[in-house]
Amino acid sequence: MISPTCAKILNKINILIVATLLSCQGNTRSTTADTTLPISSDSTEKRSSSPEIKKEKSFVILEGEITKTVYEASKSSYHDFITYDSLTYAAKDGKIVLPVKNGQVVLTDNTGVPHDENIETHKYIGQVKPIHKYVIEVHLYEDNFFVLIDMESGKKDTVNGFPYLSPDHQKIFASQFNPYETYDHINPPTQDVELFAVTKNGIGVIASKPFSWYFKEVYWKDNHTIYVKATTVADGSDFIFKKLTITEQ
């Protein structure tokens, strides 16, 4: 039979054992909770943002002359990759709503509030289905350009003029009339050409060049050549015909 003294000692030992076990269980739950950390907004942003496009190659735009006959001969073979369905996502109450994979992109017009300089209007043009982009024309107070919006991610890429996609879907040609004094070697106005590369990370400029003649029509002859119908004065009707060749430098 256990003496009263031994019973007291055993009772204290049991209490210590139970307390220790409870403490260990509590620490185990606490450790699990501490290691399950919520994703911060910073980390989410880093994963969703695309890295800058690196210029692995350098390109130049070379100018040449062609005849009207040559220009017209290849014109019918060019395929415009834009699906013009402007009524599909027409603006309603000053807003264009475009569905993307995980939600929607909303473009809201500003008719000049609080000042005319704040004007910003949007027009949905269509879709460039081979590269999964919506085409939006944007007008500001003293500028205009086009925005290509990815149909899946909603990422926006800006091009300076109407986007012409190359036959291999790897380049976009765009140009914009520029009335301002921008260049030291050429007087205004100019037609500013930009060439963009289309990559999985987005769209980025790979070559640019101003010209002193003004584009009326443009099309890709092949993946490296663009044919242009132009005039030597901004509103002229006497046409000239040019060939722009894209080459690696």
Side-chain angles (χ1 to χ4, degrees):
M1 194 172 174
I2 300 175
S3 66
T5 302
C6 290
K8 288 181 180 180
I9 293 172
L10 289 173
N11 187 47
K12 288 181 179 180
I13 292 173
N14 287 333
I15 291 172
L16 288 172
I17 291 172
V18 171
T20 302
L21 290 172
L22 289 173
S23 175
C24 290
Q25 290 176 353
N27 287 339
T28 301
R29 287 194 295 269
S30 176
T31 302
T32 302
D34 290 343
T35 55
T36 307
L37 300 176
I39 298 174
S40 69
S41 59
D42 288 340
S43 61
T44 303
E45 183 178 342
K46 288 177 182 177
R47 282 199 297 271
S48 63
S49 60
S50 299
E52 292 184 2
I53 296 174
K54 296 181 180 179
K55 292 183 181 180
E56 297 180 355
K57 299 178 181 179
S58 179
F59 293 87
V60 293
I61 302 171
L62 302 178
E63 175 188 346
E65 303 281 344
I66 58 173
T67 65
K68 179 180 179 180
T69 302
V70 170
Y71 178 87
E72 296 291 347
S74 300
K75 183 179 176 181
S76 60
S77 63
Y78 172 68
H79 176 66
D80 186 353
F81 291 102
I82 295 181
T83 300
Y84 296 92
D85 59 343
S86 58
L87 296 179
T88 304
Y89 302 112
K92 295 180 180 179
D93 299 323
K95 292 184 179 181
I96 294 175
V97 180
L98 301 173
V100 294
K101 186 175 181 179
N102 294 316
Q104 59 187 23
V105 174
V106 180
L107 305 171
T108 303
D109 289 345
N110 184 332
T111 56
V113 179
H115 306 292
D116 289 346
E117 290 80 1
N118 300 110
I119 288 175
E120 181 175 344
T121 60
H122 307 83
K123 181 181 179 182
Y124 172 74
I125 302 298
Q127 306 174 40
V128 191
K129 292 183 178 180
I131 57 174
H132 311 291
K133 306 290 183 183
Y134 295 116
V135 182
I136 303 294
E137 186 175 4
V138 181
H139 289 275
L140 305 182
Y141 181 66
E142 290 185 338
D143 195 13
N144 60 82
F145 51 88
F146 286 77
V147 174
L148 302 179
I149 301 177
D150 191 88
M151 294 180 182
E152 293 192 2
S153 67
K155 183 179 184 297
K156 300 176 183 178
D157 290 297
T158 300
V159 296
N160 68 334
F162 189 89
Y164 295 89
L165 183 65
S166 63
D168 61 3
H169 310 159
Q170 294 182 9
K171 300 182 188 72
I172 288 175
F173 174 89
S175 72
Q176 182 184 49
F177 178 78
N178 177 9
Y180 303 106
E181 188 171 352
T182 307
Y183 308 99
D184 294 333
H185 66 289
I186 183 171
N187 293 326
T190 56
Q191 188 83 27
D192 295 348
V193 164
E194 290 187 344
L195 183 70
F196 300 82
V198 180
T199 74
K200 62 181 180 180
N201 295 322
I203 296 171
V205 177
I206 56 174
S208 61
K209 188 174 183 178
F211 292 94
S212 58
W213 32 270
Y214 313 102
F215 294 15
K216 299 301 180 182
E217 290 181 355
V218 173
Y219 69 87
W220 285 87
K221 167 67 169 57
D222 53 47
N223 293 325
H224 307 286
T225 311
I226 296 154
Y227 282 179
V228 181
K229 180 180 181 180
T231 60
T232 55
V233 292
D235 296 319
S237 57
D238 293 330
F239 298 115
I240 58 175
F241 299 89
K242 298 285 186 175
K243 174 177 68 173
L244 302 181
T245 305
I246 313 301
T247 62
E248 291 184 33
Q249 198 171 26

